[in-house]
Amino acid sequence: MTIAGGIVLIMLGAILTWAVEFDLAGFDINVVGVILMLGGLAWLMFALYRINAARRALATNTTVVTEDPVTHQRVYEERRYDDPPVV
């Protein structure tokens, strides 16, 4: 519920700000809607940051160095985490 929670808060805040006509002494529903929209935006930015950080942590590159027995040259091979293992 990372991205969805932020979007739900933004939608709820927009509904309270522009679609609800409700008056109560000392309570402004429009301000509550704006606060919910700002909180939803902050939640959405934090969720996107967390997802991006998790993807960066999984996408590590490894370099495999082997020597070709015939030509005696080094072969550099970069592999990502989703490549099949070298047997």
Side-chain angles (χ1 to χ4, degrees), residues 67-85:
E67 190 170 314
D68 189 10
V70 176
T71 61
H72 299 291
Q73 292 179 347
R74 288 192 175 186
V75 177
Y76 293 94
E77 194 175 323
E78 288 192 12
R79 297 191 153 267
R80 291 193 336 232
Y81 68 96
D82 57 349
D83 290 340

Side-chain angles (χ1 to χ4, degrees), residues 9-10 13 17 28-42:
L9 279 180
I10 292 171
T17 301
D28 192 4
I29 198 73
N30 293 334
V31 173
V32 172
V34 170
I35 290 171
L36 283 176
M37 283 193 292
L38 292 176
L41 184 64

Side-chain angles (χ1 to χ4, degrees), residues 46-59:
F46 180 69
L48 291 175
Y49 170 76
R50 276 188 42 203
I51 289 173
N52 190 22
R55 285 186 182 166
R56 270 188 279 140
L58 290 177

